[in-house]
Amino acid sequence: MLDGGSCQNGIESTIIGFENNEPVLYRLGSLSIEEIENTIGRIKIKNNKEKSPDAPGMLSKHYAPKTATFLVEDVVSFIQKNNYKKIGLLLFSNVIENKTIHHQEILSKNGDLKEAASHLYEAMHRLDKMDLDIIIAQEFPNYGLGKSINDRLTRASKK
């Protein structure tokens, strides 16, 4: 295995293939679905396959930290339900004021999805090394690279 350093876009490449001469998206990546469809038209999405995956990253559990990770829409409510635990947060752009939080990782202070994607794995690794009880990841806007980030976080939160 070779370490090529940080990926320029943070998340792996988008993988597209063909089935019956039609384009198929096998892995969401640094190119958004919207960018792809603006170029080639509608594309079939087939990014989950448990047996004999067609491309890397198709298994339901992938990119997972050792620390229990939860992808949630309402971070504040989830913190309140778990305030007795040592919590780390993985957030899009805003800090959450709460004294029970051990550490927070902000992926983009400017709310830029491309910047957030480029910091995703480094932030997950930092959180995973902190001996936390849980990592709470904020659900990202479900468009553009937000879909790819949510895909990675969904897979990371599988038990």
Side-chain angles (χ1 to χ4, degrees):
M1 184 177 289
L2 298 175
D3 181 355
S6 297
C7 178
Q8 180 180 358
N9 293 316
I11 55 179
E12 300 88 346
S13 56
T14 306
I15 298 178
I16 299 173
F18 290 88
E19 293 180 7
N20 300 320
N21 292 322
E22 295 293 323
V24 177
L25 180 69
Y26 292 120
R27 182 171 72 188
L28 297 167
S30 54
L31 284 177
S32 71
I33 294 169
E34 293 85 352
E35 290 175 289
I36 295 165
E37 289 186 339
N38 282 339
T39 303
I40 64 171
R42 296 282 297 160
I43 187 167
K44 179 180 177 182
I45 300 171
K46 185 178 172 184
N47 67 334
N48 289 309
K49 191 172 181 188
E50 286 303 310
K51 295 185 182 192
S52 303
D54 297 313
M58 292 181 77
L59 299 175
S60 65
K61 182 176 179 178
H62 201 60
Y63 318 105
K66 292 179 180 131
T67 307
T69 302
F70 300 89
L71 177 60
V72 300
E73 188 176 330
D74 187 349
V75 175
V76 174
S77 292
F78 204 83
I79 292 168
Q80 290 170 347
K81 292 175 188 169
N82 293 278
N83 64 359
Y84 57 93
K85 294 182 178 178
K86 189 175 179 183
I87 298 173
L89 298 180
L90 184 63
L91 303 168
F92 182 23
S93 60
N94 296 317
V95 170
I96 292 179
E97 298 298 330
N98 187 310
K99 293 179 183 179
T100 63
I101 303 305
H102 181 73
H103 183 77
Q104 298 185 46
E105 289 284 338
I106 308 300
L107 298 182
S108 174
K109 291 179 182 174
N110 301 318
D112 181 287
L113 289 169
K114 190 170 187 173
E115 179 183 20
S118 72
H119 296 295
L120 179 64
Y121 288 125
E122 289 175 329
M124 288 174 71
H125 287 295
R126 278 192 298 273
L127 287 167
D128 204 25
K129 291 178 183 176
M130 293 185 171
D131 194 35
L132 301 165
D133 293 325
I134 61 172
I135 297 169
I136 302 171
Q138 178 181 39
E139 190 173 301
F140 278 68
N142 204 29
Y143 59 83
L145 285 178
K147 287 182 181 181
S148 297
I149 295 169
N150 284 335
D151 176 71
R152 297 309 188 279
L153 291 173
T154 297
R155 293 171 199 277
S157 64
K158 297 285 183 180
K159 293 181 181 180

PDB file of all heavy atoms in Angstrom, residues 117-134:
ATOM      1  N   ALA A 117     -15.329  18.866   2.020  1.00  0.00           N
ATOM      2  CA  ALA A 117     -14.941  17.546   1.511  1.00  0.00           C
ATOM      3  C   ALA A 117     -13.432  17.346   1.621  1.00  0.00           C
ATOM      4  O   ALA A 117     -12.967  16.259   1.961  1.00  0.00           O
ATOM      5  CB  ALA A 117     -15.397  17.370   0.065  1.00  0.00           C
ATOM      6  N   SER A 118     -12.667  18.407   1.381  1.00  0.00           N
ATOM      7  CA  SER A 118     -11.207  18.285   1.422  1.00  0.00           C
ATOM      8  C   SER A 118     -10.685  18.068   2.837  1.00  0.00           C
ATOM      9  O   SER A 118      -9.577  17.577   3.020  1.00  0.00           O
ATOM     10  CB  SER A 118     -10.543  19.507   0.781  1.00  0.00           C
ATOM     11  OG  SER A 118     -10.674  20.636   1.619  1.00  0.00           O
ATOM     12  N   HIS A 119     -11.466  18.408   3.854  1.00  0.00           N
ATOM     13  CA  HIS A 119     -11.043  18.248   5.252  1.00  0.00           C
ATOM     14  C   HIS A 119     -11.684  17.046   5.949  1.00  0.00           C
ATOM     15  O   HIS A 119     -11.338  16.743   7.090  1.00  0.00           O
ATOM     16  CB  HIS A 119     -11.381  19.504   6.050  1.00  0.00           C
ATOM     17  CG  HIS A 119     -10.661  20.726   5.594  1.00  0.00           C
ATOM     18  ND1 HIS A 119      -9.294  20.867   5.677  1.00  0.00           N
ATOM     19  CD2 HIS A 119     -11.116  21.864   5.023  1.00  0.00           C
ATOM     20  CE1 HIS A 119      -8.932  22.041   5.185  1.00  0.00           C
ATOM     21  NE2 HIS A 119     -10.028  22.665   4.768  1.00  0.00           N
ATOM     22  N   LEU A 120     -12.608  16.375   5.285  1.00  0.00           N
ATOM     23  CA  LEU A 120     -13.413  15.339   5.921  1.00  0.00           C
ATOM     24  C   LEU A 120     -12.586  14.246   6.588  1.00  0.00           C
ATOM     25  O   LEU A 120     -12.728  13.984   7.790  1.00  0.00           O
ATOM     26  CB  LEU A 120     -14.384  14.717   4.911  1.00  0.00           C
ATOM     27  CG  LEU A 120     -15.265  13.594   5.452  1.00  0.00           C
ATOM     28  CD1 LEU A 120     -16.208  14.123   6.534  1.00  0.00           C
ATOM     29  CD2 LEU A 120     -16.061  12.959   4.310  1.00  0.00           C
ATOM     30  N   TYR A 121     -11.728  13.568   5.850  1.00  0.00           N
ATOM     31  CA  TYR A 121     -11.019  12.417   6.401  1.00  0.00           C
ATOM     32  C   TYR A 121     -10.013  12.807   7.474  1.00  0.00           C
ATOM     33  O   TYR A 121      -9.879  12.114   8.491  1.00  0.00           O
ATOM     34  CB  TYR A 121     -10.355  11.596   5.303  1.00  0.00           C
ATOM     35  CG  TYR A 121     -11.355  10.837   4.487  1.00  0.00           C
ATOM     36  CD1 TYR A 121     -11.406  10.963   3.109  1.00  0.00           C
ATOM     37  CD2 TYR A 121     -12.272   9.993   5.100  1.00  0.00           C
ATOM     38  CE1 TYR A 121     -12.335  10.271   2.363  1.00  0.00           C
ATOM     39  CE2 TYR A 121     -13.204   9.294   4.354  1.00  0.00           C
ATOM     40  CZ  TYR A 121     -13.223   9.437   2.995  1.00  0.00           C
ATOM     41  OH  TYR A 121     -14.156   8.752   2.253  1.00  0.00           O
ATOM     42  N   GLU A 122      -9.310  13.910   7.281  1.00  0.00           N
ATOM     43  CA  GLU A 122      -8.363  14.353   8.310  1.00  0.00           C
ATOM     44  C   GLU A 122      -9.091  14.623   9.623  1.00  0.00           C
ATOM     45  O   GLU A 122      -8.623  14.233  10.692  1.00  0.00           O
ATOM     46  CB  GLU A 122      -7.626  15.609   7.848  1.00  0.00           C
ATOM     47  CG  GLU A 122      -6.621  15.355   6.747  1.00  0.00           C
ATOM     48  CD  GLU A 122      -5.992  16.643   6.244  1.00  0.00           C
ATOM     49  OE1 GLU A 122      -6.649  17.701   6.271  1.00  0.00           O
ATOM     50  OE2 GLU A 122      -4.829  16.558   5.826  1.00  0.00           O
ATOM     51  N   ALA A 123     -10.247  15.261   9.544  1.00  0.00           N
ATOM     52  CA  ALA A 123     -11.031  15.569  10.744  1.00  0.00           C
ATOM     53  C   ALA A 123     -11.534  14.285  11.398  1.00  0.00           C
ATOM     54  O   ALA A 123     -11.494  14.151  12.633  1.00  0.00           O
ATOM     55  CB  ALA A 123     -12.199  16.491  10.395  1.00  0.00           C
ATOM     56  N   MET A 124     -11.997  13.340  10.597  1.00  0.00           N
ATOM     57  CA  MET A 124     -12.465  12.064  11.150  1.00  0.00           C
ATOM     58  C   MET A 124     -11.325  11.331  11.864  1.00  0.00           C
ATOM     59  O   MET A 124     -11.518  10.780  12.948  1.00  0.00           O
ATOM     60  CB  MET A 124     -13.061  11.192  10.045  1.00  0.00           C
ATOM     61  CG  MET A 124     -14.407  11.684   9.553  1.00  0.00           C
ATOM     62  SD  MET A 124     -15.037  10.771   8.124  1.00  0.00           S
ATOM     63  CE  MET A 124     -15.448   9.198   8.858  1.00  0.00           C
ATOM     64  N   HIS A 125     -10.130  11.352  11.282  1.00  0.00           N
ATOM     65  CA  HIS A 125      -8.979  10.692  11.896  1.00  0.00           C
ATOM     66  C   HIS A 125      -8.591  11.374  13.212  1.00  0.00           C
ATOM     67  O   HIS A 125      -8.280  10.687  14.190  1.00  0.00           O
ATOM     68  CB  HIS A 125      -7.781  10.660  10.940  1.00  0.00           C
ATOM     69  CG  HIS A 125      -7.930   9.702   9.812  1.00  0.00           C
ATOM     70  ND1 HIS A 125      -8.000   8.336   9.983  1.00  0.00           N
ATOM     71  CD2 HIS A 125      -8.037   9.914   8.483  1.00  0.00           C
ATOM     72  CE1 HIS A 125      -8.131   7.748   8.811  1.00  0.00           C
ATOM     73  NE2 HIS A 125      -8.167   8.680   7.887  1.00  0.00           N
ATOM     74  N   ARG A 126      -8.605  12.712  13.222  1.00  0.00           N
ATOM     75  CA  ARG A 126      -8.275  13.423  14.463  1.00  0.00           C
ATOM     76  C   ARG A 126      -9.255  13.060  15.575  1.00  0.00           C
ATOM     77  O   ARG A 126      -8.857  12.775  16.711  1.00  0.00           O
ATOM     78  CB  ARG A 126      -8.276  14.943  14.238  1.00  0.00           C
ATOM     79  CG  ARG A 126      -6.998  15.475  13.627  1.00  0.00           C
ATOM     80  CD  ARG A 126      -6.921  16.986  13.695  1.00  0.00           C
ATOM     81  NE  ARG A 126      -7.975  17.657  12.950  1.00  0.00           N
ATOM     82  CZ  ARG A 126      -7.900  17.963  11.655  1.00  0.00           C
ATOM     83  NH1 ARG A 126      -6.831  17.654  10.957  1.00  0.00           N
ATOM     84  NH2 ARG A 126      -8.902  18.585  11.065  1.00  0.00           N
ATOM     85  N   LEU A 127     -10.550  13.085  15.247  1.00  0.00           N
ATOM     86  CA  LEU A 127     -11.565  12.739  16.243  1.00  0.00           C
ATOM     87  C   LEU A 127     -11.399  11.306  16.731  1.00  0.00           C
ATOM     88  O   LEU A 127     -11.541  11.022  17.924  1.00  0.00           O
ATOM     89  CB  LEU A 127     -12.969  12.950  15.665  1.00  0.00           C
ATOM     90  CG  LEU A 127     -13.419  14.397  15.509  1.00  0.00           C
ATOM     91  CD1 LEU A 127     -14.670  14.480  14.645  1.00  0.00           C
ATOM     92  CD2 LEU A 127     -13.662  15.049  16.865  1.00  0.00           C
ATOM     93  N   ASP A 128     -11.084  10.414  15.817  1.00  0.00           N
ATOM     94  CA  ASP A 128     -10.973   9.000  16.168  1.00  0.00           C
ATOM     95  C   ASP A 128      -9.803   8.729  17.111  1.00  0.00           C
ATOM     96  O   ASP A 128      -9.801   7.738  17.838  1.00  0.00           O
ATOM     97  CB  ASP A 128     -10.854   8.152  14.902  1.00  0.00           C
ATOM     98  CG  ASP A 128     -11.296   6.723  15.099  1.00  0.00           C
ATOM     99  OD1 ASP A 128     -12.120   6.458  16.009  1.00  0.00           O
ATOM    100  OD2 ASP A 128     -10.828   5.855  14.346  1.00  0.00           O
ATOM    101  N   LYS A 129      -8.806   9.605  17.127  1.00  0.00           N
ATOM    102  CA  LYS A 129      -7.627   9.427  17.979  1.00  0.00           C
ATOM    103  C   LYS A 129      -7.801  10.054  19.362  1.00  0.00           C
ATOM    104  O   LYS A 129      -6.882  10.018  20.163  1.00  0.00           O
ATOM    105  CB  LYS A 129      -6.401  10.041  17.296  1.00  0.00           C
ATOM    106  CG  LYS A 129      -5.961   9.295  16.062  1.00  0.00           C
ATOM    107  CD  LYS A 129      -4.793   9.984  15.408  1.00  0.00           C
ATOM    108  CE  LYS A 129      -4.392   9.268  14.121  1.00  0.00           C
ATOM    109  NZ  LYS A 129      -3.326   9.982  13.423  1.00  0.00           N
ATOM    110  N   MET A 130      -8.957  10.623  19.664  1.00  0.00           N
ATOM    111  CA  MET A 130      -9.142  11.395  20.899  1.00  0.00           C
ATOM    112  C   MET A 130      -9.765  10.610  22.054  1.00  0.00           C
ATOM    113  O   MET A 130     -10.132  11.204  23.057  1.00  0.00           O
ATOM    114  CB  MET A 130      -9.979  12.639  20.614  1.00  0.00           C
ATOM    115  CG  MET A 130      -9.281  13.618  19.754  1.00  0.00           C
ATOM    116  SD  MET A 130     -10.267  15.095  19.579  1.00  0.00           S
ATOM    117  CE  MET A 130      -9.094  16.141  18.753  1.00  0.00           C
ATOM    118  N   ASP A 131      -9.900   9.330  21.921  1.00  0.00           N
ATOM    119  CA  ASP A 131     -10.486   8.500  22.980  1.00  0.00           C
ATOM    120  C   ASP A 131     -11.867   9.024  23.398  1.00  0.00           C
ATOM    121  O   ASP A 131     -12.172   9.168  24.584  1.00  0.00           O
ATOM    122  CB  ASP A 131      -9.537   8.432  24.181  1.00  0.00           C
ATOM    123  CG  ASP A 131      -9.921   7.341  25.156  1.00  0.00           C
ATOM    124  OD1 ASP A 131     -10.414   6.279  24.709  1.00  0.00           O
ATOM    125  OD2 ASP A 131      -9.765   7.555  26.367  1.00  0.00           O
ATOM    126  N   LEU A 132     -12.694   9.311  22.403  1.00  0.00           N
ATOM    127  CA  LEU A 132     -14.057   9.789  22.644  1.00  0.00           C
ATOM    128  C   LEU A 132     -14.999   8.609  22.847  1.00  0.00           C
ATOM    129  O   LEU A 132     -14.702   7.496  22.426  1.00  0.00           O
ATOM    130  CB  LEU A 132     -14.538  10.605  21.435  1.00  0.00           C
ATOM    131  CG  LEU A 132     -13.715  11.830  21.059  1.00  0.00           C
ATOM    132  CD1 LEU A 132     -14.085  12.307  19.664  1.00  0.00           C
ATOM    133  CD2 LEU A 132     -13.912  12.934  22.080  1.00  0.00           C
ATOM    134  N   ASP A 133     -16.140   8.868  23.465  1.00  0.00           N
ATOM    135  CA  ASP A 133     -17.183   7.848  23.550  1.00  0.00           C
ATOM    136  C   ASP A 133     -17.959   7.784  22.235  1.00  0.00           C
ATOM    137  O   ASP A 133     -18.298   6.704  21.767  1.00  0.00           O
ATOM    138  CB  ASP A 133     -18.155   8.146  24.689  1.00  0.00           C
ATOM    139  CG  ASP A 133     -17.497   8.029  26.053  1.00  0.00           C
ATOM    140  OD1 ASP A 133     -16.616   7.159  26.220  1.00  0.00           O
ATOM    141  OD2 ASP A 133     -17.856   8.811  26.946  1.00  0.00           O
ATOM    142  N   ILE A 134     -18.256   8.956  21.676  1.00  0.00           N
ATOM    143  CA  ILE A 134     -18.994   9.021  20.415  1.00  0.00           C
ATOM    144  C   ILE A 134     -18.539  10.219  19.588  1.00  0.00           C
ATOM    145  O   ILE A 134     -18.042  11.212  20.125  1.00  0.00           O
ATOM    146  CB  ILE A 134     -20.532   9.099  20.617  1.00  0.00           C
ATOM    147  CG1 ILE A 134     -20.929  10.350  21.392  1.00  0.00           C
ATOM    148  CG2 ILE A 134     -21.067   7.845  21.263  1.00  0.00           C
ATOM    149  CD1 ILE A 134     -22.438  10.597  21.464  1.00  0.00           C
TER     150      ILE A 134
END
